[in-house]
Amino acid sequence: MEIIVKDTVEEMSQVAARVVAKTLNAKPDAVLGLATGSTPLGLYQELVRMHQAEGLDFSQVTTFHLDAYVGLKQKHPQSYHYFMDENLFRHINIPHQNVYIPSGTTDNYEAFCKWYEQRIVECGGIDLQVLGIGTDGHIAFNEPSSSLGSRTRIKTLAKQTIDDNARFFESPDEVPVYAITMGVGTILEAERIILLAHGKHKSDAVAKAIEGPVTSMITASALQLHPDVLFIIDREAASSLDMLEYYEWIQDKMPDAP
Ligand code: F6R
């Protein structure tokens, strides 16, 4: 695992965008795994800037998305379809048919989840997976006690996640209780993974993910089992790490640091 600590969210986002751009420059038809939520907003803004100002090309890119709320139609302002369209897709040149977002309104979730997993494999697997982290240590919506071998399925959201995400809705009662989410096992099959986090409220989850035991109670800790994971975090999110000085020492010596 590598850890890059940056002073600001802007710098965190720029580093992440450089990692994505490097992936696309090396493999123009790369498959990206993408997250929603507030964490990757700066990354998406930077990718839009790179597309518009530097010609970063998405015309052959395919994306798979981590999760979606069950019950929200694509046009709902809090649906992850809507989020991705508003914040990324309508500003870049990705073909609509190359975007895969879990359906929150299918009438057969089991079949959909199987198809989604199969589609990832048919597209060659995910080259670069972008993750955020929940305050309860979740990746995607793999809430505490999710199997570390889990695949795409429906999960009940933890009360903490519902409370955290209530800020996007008019009231906490409107936050869906179920989500369809890639599993921890699905995520671990990505070739490379970057996890972004900023803010003091993420510091505990980040420290447990990096320095704690591998446990299904903090599903981000399963990333310790993956051979190519990069945490890109701001100083506040890094503030509970016991070994911060050590990570910064390594970071200074990182060859080809993004
Ligand atoms: C979203 C997702 C979640 C978020 C996490 C952090 O697609 O998979 O795991 O990354 O809940 O959310 P924010 O970024 O809003 O703090």
Side-chain angles (χ1 to χ4, degrees):
M1 260 187 337
E2 289 182 317
I3 296 137
I4 291 184
V5 181
K6 288 285 158 191
D7 288 330
T8 64
V9 182
E10 290 72 28
E11 286 176 274
M12 177 202 83
S13 304
Q14 283 161 5
V15 172
R18 287 201 288 273
V19 174
V20 174
K22 204 172 166 189
T23 305
L24 299 192
N25 289 332
K27 188 176 177 192
D29 61 349
V31 178
L32 301 178
L34 296 180
T36 48
S38 30
T39 304
L41 278 174
L43 160 64
Y44 297 152
Q45 273 163 19
E46 182 59 11
L47 290 178
V48 170
R49 191 200 64 74
M50 286 174 157
H51 170 68
Q52 290 169 352
E54 296 164 13
L56 184 63
D57 181 29
F58 292 84
S59 63
Q60 298 176 65
V61 170
T62 298
T63 62
F64 282 91
H65 295 263
L66 286 170
D67 38 29
Y69 289 121
V70 166
L72 296 195
K73 296 211 168 82
Q74 290 190 15
K75 290 207 169 110
H76 190 288
Q78 295 312 328
S79 84
Y80 287 174
H81 273 93
Y82 190 92
F83 175 98
M84 288 309 309
D85 274 345
E86 282 299 300
N87 293 297
L88 187 62
F89 296 144
R90 71 187 181 89
H91 309 286
I92 60 173
N93 63 335
I94 190 164
H96 184 68
Q97 68 274 16
N98 289 10
V99 169
Y100 295 92
I101 302 183
S103 167
T105 52
T106 172
D107 47 20
N108 188 340
Y109 282 99
E110 210 182 313
F112 181 86
C113 292
K114 266 198 190 140
W115 174 82
Y116 199 71
E117 289 273 339
Q118 200 181 314
R119 206 60 207 117
I120 295 175
V121 174
E122 285 163 1
C123 291
I126 292 172
D127 293 296
L128 178 68
Q129 175 66 58
V130 176
L131 297 175
I133 185 170
T135 56
D136 64 0
H138 69 218
I139 46 174
F141 278 135
N142 294 288
E143 299 288 30
S145 83
S146 292
S147 159
L148 301 186
S150 50
R151 314 299 309 187
T152 302
R153 68 212 184 289
I154 294 210
K155 274 302 284 180
T156 308
L157 297 180
K159 167 96 172 53
Q160 193 170 330
T161 301
I162 291 177
D163 292 346
D164 286 348
N165 290 358
R167 68 189 192 281
F168 298 116
F169 292 80
E170 303 228 320
S171 86
D173 299 342
E174 284 181 28
V175 186
V177 176
Y178 303 105
I180 176 165
T181 179
M182 274 189 205
V184 180
T186 322
I187 292 169
L188 289 179
E189 278 170 13
E191 189 71 19
R192 186 165 198 219
I193 298 176
I194 57 175
L195 184 146
L196 314 187
H198 61 81
K200 182 88 190 116
H201 63 301
K202 295 290 176 74
S203 63
D204 188 44
V206 165
K208 286 178 174 157
I210 296 174
E211 296 179 337
V214 174
T215 167
S216 63
M217 299 315 288
I218 302 285
T219 52
S221 67
L223 298 175
Q224 294 175 29
L225 300 169
H226 191 282
D228 193 355
V229 175
L230 175 64
F231 279 74
I232 310 169
I233 58 183
D234 81 343
R235 199 154 289 287
E236 289 192 346
S239 60
S240 299
L241 288 166
D242 285 338
M243 303 280 286
L244 180 56
E245 245 178 68
Y246 167 69
Y247 308 133
E248 293 198 290
W249 193 84
I250 302 267
Q251 180 183 329
D252 283 346
K253 284 153 193 64
M254 211 182 261
D256 303 328

